[in-house]
Amino acid sequence: MKKTDTSRREFIAGALLAGAAFAGCSGKGNPFEENAADMVKPSGEKVKLLSVDGEVIEVDKAFLKPVPHLPPVSNEEARIGIKGKKFVMVIDLSRCKSLKKCQEACDHMHHVHPGQNWIKVYPMQDGDQTAQYWQPTTCMHCDEPPCVKVCPVDATFKRQDGIVLIDSERCIGCRFCMAACPYSTRVFNWGDPGLPKQIADQPYSCETSVPQKKGTVGKCDFCPDMTRKGELPHCVSACPNGVFFFGDMLEDSVTNGSETFRFSELVRDKAGYRLMEELGTKPSVYYLPPVNRNFPFKDEEQDADDKKS
Amino acid sequence: MTTHKHIHLSVILLLFVCTASMAQNTRQSLLLNLGYYNDNNYMQYLKATAKAKINGKFQVIPGVPVSFYIAQVADENLLGKAVTDVYGEAALPIPAMARTLWNSGPKQTFLAVSTPYAGYESAQTDLDITKAKLKIDTAAGRKIIVTLVQLQDSTWTAVKGADVKVAVKRLGGDLNAGETPTYTTDSLGSVNVDFQRENLPGDASGHLVLIAKVEDNDVCGNLSKEYTVPWGVPSSYKTSFNERTLYARRGKSPVWLEIMGYSIVAVVWIVLFYLMGQIFKIKRMGRQPFNG
Amino acid sequence: MDNIIKNKIIEDLLPRRFGNKGKLWFGILLVLCITGLVAYARQLSKGLEVTAMRDYVSWGIYISNFVFFVAISLVGSLITAVLRLTDVHWSTPLTRIAEIIAVAAITCAAVIIVVDMGRPDRFYNLFTHGRLQSPIIWDVIVITTYFFISILLLYFPLLPDFRLLLKHNPKGAFSKLYRFLGSFWTNSPGQIKINERAINILVITIIPVAFSIHTVTSWLFATTYRPGWDSTNFGAYFISGAFLVGAGGVLMAMYAFRRAYNLEKYITGQHFDKMGRIVVMLALLYLYFNINEFLVPAFKMKKAERDYLIGLFAGDFAPLFWFAIVCSMFLPIVILIFKKGRRPLPAFIAGLLVVIGSWFKRYIIVTPTLLHPFLPMRDVPGSYRHYFPTWEEWAIAIGSLAAMLLLITIFARIFPIIPIQETITETEQHDNP
């Protein structure tokens, strides 16, 4: 008795939803995905397109796929962040071969000064007898960020979606955040960042961290400009081995572009951990231990250094 | 005399051929791929990818101008132009002007032509598309039924043996709804999937968006269809953003810190202002005569 | 009291014109300051890349200089406040020297911290967008407060002297300044009462504020996780070090002013004897804190601290570390523990050793920790793994030290460096108990 009730209820609910979803498809995006409305705002400009059924439809430019140039997010919005999301990253250490494609992509897309790297790939060995492995290290976007605690002018801040950003228009260059960060993830623009004039003249956006300014701090920003468009950060897309998984913890899902997993299952089943957990910073980047690797660990830079000395 | 002329001529010819072939060699060949995309049986667009072989490896080429055409390469068939981005992709939503040609039959041809750019010669590619539709439905016991049909003459017929992905839509990727990411359609053009994800967070009311995808199908291109189901749990959204913490923004420091800080500063500075006032008191006293 | 004696005291303690040595001293300081300004102009135009600081050693000698200045400025509270509160009278001639060192040092601390900023043009952000949660904001608040207290503690005891200076030479140099600052002082009992009460209030208030400035400065390091900085000991460690370097600075200044202005009758051998003993006690105290700070972690040798500690004791930083310890603590103790060592010249040398050793000790506190981060130093240019200051950094650091000395010199030129009225009062009380 109860079973048929629920199935009828589900059917009606499904039908209602389908009808509403269809109505929603009239150009405003899925109304049940409140986050979609939060993330992409209609620009007001409409284009006339052809639907699959051969009908002429009007679509707001902001909802075209791939999304064309989005209007930049204001400073206030950038400080608040995207509602209802908490971004996490899972890095699978068993896959990393230190190809540094992540570094290349990140440096390129953020116009990072040569010599600086927002992602660093460290050769790690926790104990004398334990495994050697490569550890790509981004900003941890800690839930209790020591860098944010010490900033005197609110130039670095934590948003409601978990991302920690830097406002290069506010930063006074005191470098206290760099001293406070135990993960050594922040870099400083000691001199002129050397950007082409066209990029240097753009207004600064906290979400793209471009253009960098002389005398201010820079770091990985989890590419919020990409996630607003529903795309993945550049390092995630660039890695050929699928080392980086990125996603929303509140959706319980992380993806590296081709594989998607439930975040809670992935971290639990593969014994994920966070760096320097004992410091209490509560990082948002989880690491999967380097087990079952089928390639040898080779540190060419260290070998070269050892040869010299 | 004639032998001289012959030699001169052949030398000139040789030079001409050499320069002609060298000019050819400086123009590299570009590999252009065209894909058709259809979202939710509603919006459709074309995407062209430009690649070239550099140092033995294929790399994407940004900045290439691409023109899209329907049915044939002609000015009146031009759908639009786009330039490849950093990923080497140029996308164009199919505009309303293609309506008559699109409604003329079940099959359609799209073409992409790239203009010569930065040492790459122009390339052209075409794509034949048969109109197709993906349907999602659900059945009791959290079963998902996805059907793929294509238009033959005027009827929609089932497509068998096509690969379909059935997943839950997530940020940046799709979480497979069943045991495996991909299923193959049977003779009725359907796949049946048991929904595997228990207690998956959905939106505030616990709704999930299922997505069925056909990727790079030879006949119908890339299709996707979404369907909302109430099979998730309401997502619990907790953030300390509005709390008073040591890592909060400017006006949100912990109460104990504000009390301590302001009261200490107030006490000391009240004393300082009092003392500065005392200087003026001494000054006033000094105006009265005193013999000492 | 005999007017002759009174006038003699006034004459002895008047601010005097620079002699040849004074002019040379002033000239050298000025040249050093200007060189510092030129180097800073370069830094302003090109950015902090003119320094040797890079992503790992992100704080260098500007910050260690800052800590040094804040440390020295604590001498004001020590000599003026602590000794006054304990009703000690022998220290009266030294109070103004101590206060002007304090004011000059805290001023130069503020200057050097702005020099260290990557964007000094955004300095106002500290006030318009300041976050109360940040230790830097606490530092700005307490340093500003301490500056004003020290100025007041300089001014109130100075107030009675203006009348004497004006009486002695109504039309002399700076008489306009004296008139503006204190012509209303008539030495009436009412004024004296207010003045003394004000000084007492200041003396009580300055002690917690002085403790705060150096504790909060130590928290710039102790609120981070780094090995060598992550210590609960830091507040007390820094304060004891500050008292030591301040006392050493006073020993030097005492000797210099005594020699320059022939003040043997006012800064006597007794003063050197007593200050010398104080320095011995403070050096032993600082040594105690150093033992706690270094030996206890060395007993445990935690992974993060191991390389750092070995580097200090026996590695790259060993020569500098042992030099700082020996020079700022051991040698001064050895010199001053003997009565012969507490004579003026040996005491001056001991004070000089304390100050030099302490400057390098501050460098040892700041830089080695930064070269031992938790994660390996990779994916950075090779120059990031070492630090030796560039000429611009040296010029600016030395320029700021010269600026402090310049401020003290200018003050001594304008105002009497030993309180005249207080000396007269004390002599009277001594003669007629």
Side-chain angles (χ1 to χ4, degrees):
Chain A
M1 196 66 114
K2 266 200 176 151
K3 227 180 165 186
T4 37
D5 275 348
T6 35
S7 65
R8 201 186 302 144
R9 216 180 293 144
E10 270 183 33
F11 175 76
I12 294 172
L16 279 172
L17 285 168
F22 188 79
C25 278
S26 59
K28 285 223 174 94
N30 190 336
F32 296 101
E33 254 190 316
E34 337 169 294
N35 306 315
D38 260 335
M39 286 168 68
V40 182
K41 291 193 165 57
S43 69
E45 242 188 286
K46 297 210 191 278
V47 280
K48 285 208 169 97
L49 299 178
L50 188 69
S51 81
V52 177
D53 296 324
E55 301 295 318
V56 175
I57 51 177
E58 277 195 355
V59 179
D60 190 297
K61 252 195 164 167
F63 294 105
L64 287 184
K65 214 200 262 203
V67 187
H69 180 72
L70 275 174
V73 174
S74 72
N75 193 286
E76 290 76 34
E77 286 177 322
R79 281 174 178 270
I80 296 173
I82 304 170
K83 187 173 169 216
K85 296 211 177 287
K86 172 147 178 32
F87 295 112
V88 285
M89 192 177 263
V90 179
I91 297 180
D92 192 350
L93 296 174
S94 55
R95 300 186 191 189
C96 180
K97 285 188 193 175
S98 185
L99 295 175
K100 299 202 182 171
K101 297 289 175 207
C102 50
Q103 211 176 68
E104 265 180 53
C106 171
D107 288 352
H108 179 72
M109 298 306 286
H110 289 104
H111 306 283
V112 174
H113 189 60
Q116 275 181 4
N117 288 302
W118 291 1
I119 302 179
K120 301 199 189 61
V121 184
Y122 297 119
M124 299 287 285
Q125 188 177 24
D126 297 330
D128 290 336
Q129 300 295 321
T130 59
Q132 288 180 298
Y133 54 94
W134 291 106
Q135 180 184 283
T137 315
T138 60
C139 167
M140 299 285 135
H141 296 275
C142 305
D143 284 341
E144 294 210 7
C147 56
V148 175
K149 285 184 193 174
V150 296
C151 179
V153 292
D154 224 354
T156 187
F157 48 89
K158 185 164 178 76
R159 317 180 337 159
Q160 60 179 350
D161 54 15
I163 292 183
V164 176
L165 289 182
I166 297 173
D167 184 355
S168 285
E169 295 284 332
R170 181 81 68 80
C171 178
I172 59 174
C174 69
R175 311 187 297 290
F176 198 176
C177 56
M178 291 176 72
C181 177
Y183 306 101
S184 305
T185 199
R186 286 169 171 255
V187 300
F188 192 73
N189 293 304
W190 299 99
D192 193 83
L195 296 167
K197 189 175 190 309
Q198 188 193 15
I199 297 174
D201 286 343
Q202 276 173 17
Y204 179 77
S205 163
C206 295
E207 295 207 341
T208 56
S209 303
V210 169
Q212 286 285 292
K213 309 266 179 193
K214 177 172 94 171
T216 63
V217 182
K219 70 170 184 71
C220 152
D221 56 8
F222 264 14
C223 300
D225 55 323
M226 299 297 277
T227 52
R228 274 195 196 269
K229 293 192 273 186
E231 291 174 32
L232 295 170
H234 299 112
C235 52
V236 181
S237 322
C239 179
N241 291 341
V243 170
F244 292 83
F245 290 84
F246 185 83
D248 176 6
M249 193 163 89
L250 298 177
E251 273 188 353
D252 199 20
S253 160
V254 286
T255 179
N256 64 3
S258 38
E259 302 162 279
T260 310
F261 296 101
R262 269 190 90 155
F263 167 74
S264 53
E265 282 177 9
L266 188 62
V267 170
R268 187 191 65 218
D269 294 342
K270 296 223 177 162
Y273 65 91
R274 299 187 289 193
L275 283 189
M276 301 185 217
E277 188 79 60
E278 68 277 2
L279 296 181
T281 51
K282 302 191 185 157
S284 300
V285 175
Y286 292 75
Y287 284 93
L288 302 180
V291 291
N292 295 334
R293 286 172 297 161
N294 50 17
F295 50 86
F297 175 88
K298 204 159 168 18
D299 186 355
E300 284 162 1
E301 203 181 309
Q302 186 66 48
D303 292 343
D305 278 344
D306 290 340
K307 262 203 189 140
K308 270 192 226 161
S309 56
Chain B
M1 260 302 227
T2 24
T3 27
H4 265 260
K5 261 203 193 147
H6 274 209
I7 291 171
H8 281 175
L9 210 58
S10 31
V11 165
I12 292 170
L13 262 172
L14 194 63
L15 279 170
F16 182 81
V17 168
C18 279
T19 41
S21 59
M22 277 200 295
Q24 284 256 13
N25 282 344
T26 53
R27 282 288 181 100
Q28 277 186 280
S29 63
L30 195 72
L31 185 65
L32 202 63
N33 280 325
L34 187 60
Y36 167 81
Y37 293 79
N38 169 336
D39 282 342
N40 258 336
N41 301 332
Y42 185 66
M43 222 158 72
Q44 47 186 357
Y45 56 100
L46 298 168
K47 186 151 52 164
T49 321
K51 285 199 186 133
K53 209 166 195 177
I54 300 177
N55 299 332
K57 280 207 304 205
F58 272 108
Q59 287 181 28
V60 294
I61 311 290
V64 182
V66 180
S67 305
F68 296 87
Y69 298 91
I70 182 169
Q72 58 184 356
V73 180
D75 283 338
E76 56 277 9
N77 294 49
L78 178 69
L79 293 171
K81 295 190 185 167
V83 176
T84 57
D85 60 13
V86 282
Y87 299 111
E89 294 173 348
L92 183 82
I94 297 181
M97 51 90 69
R99 191 176 178 198
T100 19
L101 277 168
W102 178 256
N103 287 335
S104 59
K107 283 206 183 16
Q108 211 37 261
T109 308
F110 291 103
L111 303 107
V113 180
S114 74
T115 50
Y117 168 80
Y120 292 104
E121 51 187 25
S122 84
Q124 181 170 321
T125 185
D126 54 77
L127 184 70
D128 291 320
I129 289 294
T130 309
K131 288 189 206 174
K133 267 203 297 212
L134 263 179
K135 291 194 272 199
I136 309 187
D137 207 351
T138 53
R142 296 202 175 176
K143 286 201 204 302
I144 310 168
I145 307 160
V146 178
T147 318
L148 179 64
V149 289
Q150 69 181 11
L151 196 59
Q152 266 181 347
D153 302 318
S154 302
T155 45
W156 294 96
T157 51
V159 179
K160 28 181 202 241
D163 284 330
V164 179
K165 284 195 173 152
V166 183
V168 180
K169 208 158 179 253
R170 305 271 85 177
L171 174 74
D174 305 310
L175 186 64
N176 46 294
E179 293 269 350
T180 58
T182 317
Y183 296 85
T184 317
T185 52
D186 58 19
S187 50
L188 294 170
S190 295
V191 301
N192 285 297
V193 180
D194 286 320
F195 185 71
Q196 292 288 339
R197 303 289 183 184
E198 298 296 315
N199 297 324
L200 191 65
D203 64 3
S205 330
H207 292 117
L208 298 172
V209 178
L210 295 175
I211 184 166
K213 273 184 169 169
V214 168
E215 286 180 350
D216 279 331
N217 188 292
D218 297 326
V219 168
C220 50
N222 300 280
L223 308 176
S224 77
K225 181 89 182 83
E226 297 176 13
Y227 188 77
T228 308
V229 290
W231 296 345
V233 294
S235 69
S236 55
Y237 165 59
K238 266 179 290 186
T239 175
S240 60
F241 183 70
N242 287 313
E243 289 169 30
R244 289 184 169 272
T245 59
L246 283 175
Y247 50 88
R249 58 196 180 284
R250 184 162 189 247
K252 292 258 179 194
S253 49
V255 176
W256 59 265
L257 181 67
E258 296 200 343
I259 291 175
M260 270 178 72
Y262 292 135
S263 54
I264 292 174
V265 169
V267 163
V268 177
W269 279 88
I270 285 172
V271 169
L272 286 184
F273 281 122
Y274 167 73
L275 291 173
M276 289 188 226
Q278 294 295 82
I279 296 177
F280 287 104
K281 189 165 178 197
I282 295 179
K283 202 169 182 180
R284 267 180 284 129
M285 286 176 81
R287 294 223 191 89
Q288 290 151 19
F290 174 73
N291 302 314
Chain C
M1 187 195 189
D2 225 350
N3 256 0
I4 301 173
I5 299 175
K6 202 170 161 190
N7 281 333
K8 179 86 175 53
I9 293 177
I10 295 175
E11 285 230 5
D12 284 341
L13 299 181
L14 276 180
R16 271 173 254 178
R17 275 203 163 140
F18 288 139
N20 284 334
K21 276 196 201 154
K23 286 192 186 141
L24 182 65
W25 167 254
F26 191 83
I28 292 174
L29 290 180
L30 207 58
V31 164
L32 289 173
C33 282
I34 290 174
T35 317
L37 282 170
V38 165
Y40 186 56
R42 241 179 90 80
Q43 185 182 291
L44 274 182
S45 76
K46 294 192 80 181
L48 282 166
E49 68 174 2
V50 302
T51 70
M53 292 188 280
R54 292 296 180 261
D55 289 351
Y56 283 104
V57 187
S58 50
W59 280 346
I61 64 172
Y62 292 157
I63 294 288
S64 61
N65 229 21
F66 169 72
V67 177
F68 179 76
F69 279 134
V70 176
I72 269 198
S73 75
L74 247 74
V75 71
S77 64
L78 172 68
I79 303 291
T80 318
V82 173
L83 291 183
R84 255 190 216 267
L85 268 181
T86 50
D87 214 16
V88 164
H89 290 284
W90 61 263
S91 58
T92 310
L94 307 175
T95 54
R96 197 162 295 161
I97 295 176
E99 271 313 312
I100 189 55
I101 293 177
V103 170
I106 208 72
T107 311
C108 292
V111 165
I112 199 76
I113 208 63
V114 173
V115 163
D116 182 67
M117 277 168 65
R119 295 299 296 247
D121 54 312
R122 296 180 186 168
F123 183 74
Y124 58 87
N125 278 350
L126 283 169
F127 304 103
T128 54
H129 295 283
R131 274 179 81 247
L132 193 62
Q133 298 98 317
S134 168
I136 282 187
I137 292 289
W138 308 341
D139 220 7
V140 168
I141 294 173
V142 287
I143 284 184
T144 314
T145 310
Y146 187 73
F147 175 77
F148 279 104
I149 293 186
S150 297
I151 291 268
L152 287 176
L153 204 46
L154 199 56
Y155 180 67
F156 274 105
L158 190 53
L159 198 44
D161 287 354
F162 291 127
R163 178 170 151 271
L164 296 172
L165 290 168
L166 284 169
K167 257 173 96 173
H168 183 267
N169 190 353
K171 292 210 182 83
F174 309 119
S175 53
K176 268 211 190 128
L177 184 63
Y178 300 154
R179 241 177 281 275
F180 172 72
L181 287 175
S183 60
F184 47 85
W185 179 262
T186 57
N187 218 26
S188 66
Q191 282 185 332
I192 292 175
K193 194 163 148 231
I194 294 179
N195 198 341
E196 290 202 340
R197 218 178 87 228
I199 292 175
N200 277 333
I201 292 176
L202 277 170
V203 146
I204 295 171
T205 317
I206 202 178
I207 292 182
V209 177
F211 270 67
S212 303
I213 56 164
H214 218 37
T215 306
V216 170
T217 305
S218 78
W219 287 351
L220 294 180
F221 306 98
T223 50
T224 68
Y225 296 108
R226 295 181 180 258
W229 288 357
D230 185 13
S231 159
T232 56
N233 206 15
F234 251 43
Y237 171 58
F238 268 48
I239 287 182
S240 61
F243 280 155
L244 174 63
V245 69
V250 165
L251 269 180
M252 287 177 69
M254 275 164 70
Y255 183 80
F257 284 121
R258 185 179 130 118
R259 277 284 294 266
Y261 294 138
N262 299 104
L263 298 169
E264 287 83 1
K265 275 176 63 189
Y266 304 93
I267 304 179
T268 64
Q270 277 300 303
H271 289 103
F272 284 96
D273 181 68
K274 295 219 165 75
M275 270 313 287
R277 287 185 211 204
I278 289 180
V279 170
V280 169
M281 189 188 75
L282 291 173
L284 284 169
L285 183 66
Y286 192 47
L287 188 62
Y288 164 77
F289 275 106
N290 272 276
I291 291 173
N292 271 284
E293 187 63 29
F294 291 109
L295 247 57
V296 173
F299 187 87
K300 292 180 285 199
M301 279 299 186
K302 279 201 237 174
K303 183 182 172 194
E305 295 176 343
R306 158 170 256 126
D307 289 332
Y308 161 73
L309 288 167
I310 293 178
L312 282 182
F313 297 151
D316 291 336
F317 285 103
L320 216 51
F321 175 74
W322 291 114
F323 170 75
I325 300 264
V326 164
C327 191
S328 67
M329 286 176 272
F330 282 116
L331 285 180
I333 291 176
V334 160
I335 293 176
L336 296 168
I337 213 164
F338 299 105
K339 199 158 172 72
K340 283 209 179 140
R342 293 198 291 277
R343 296 216 214 106
L345 184 57
F348 168 77
I349 293 174
L352 182 66
L353 288 172
V354 164
V355 168
I356 293 178
S358 293
W359 192 90
F360 283 99
K361 184 71 172 49
R362 299 302 176 285
Y363 174 81
I364 286 284
I365 289 174
V366 173
T367 306
T369 292
L370 290 168
L371 283 173
H372 291 96
F374 287 104
L375 295 172
M377 293 199 264
R378 270 304 181 103
D379 288 342
V380 287
S383 61
Y384 283 33
R385 294 178 215 191
H386 322 282
Y387 175 71
F388 187 81
T390 58
W391 78 261
E392 287 95 341
E393 283 181 277
W394 284 120
I396 291 174
I398 292 173
S400 64
L401 289 164
M404 179 181 84
L405 294 172
L406 200 60
L407 284 172
I408 297 171
T409 311
I410 292 174
F411 182 86
R413 172 68 189 89
I414 302 177
F415 302 105
I417 198 64
I418 291 181
I420 305 180
Q421 184 59 55
E422 282 192 76
T423 311
I424 292 173
T425 319
E426 300 235 321
T427 317
E428 276 177 353
Q429 282 174 351
H430 185 71
D431 287 342
N432 314 328

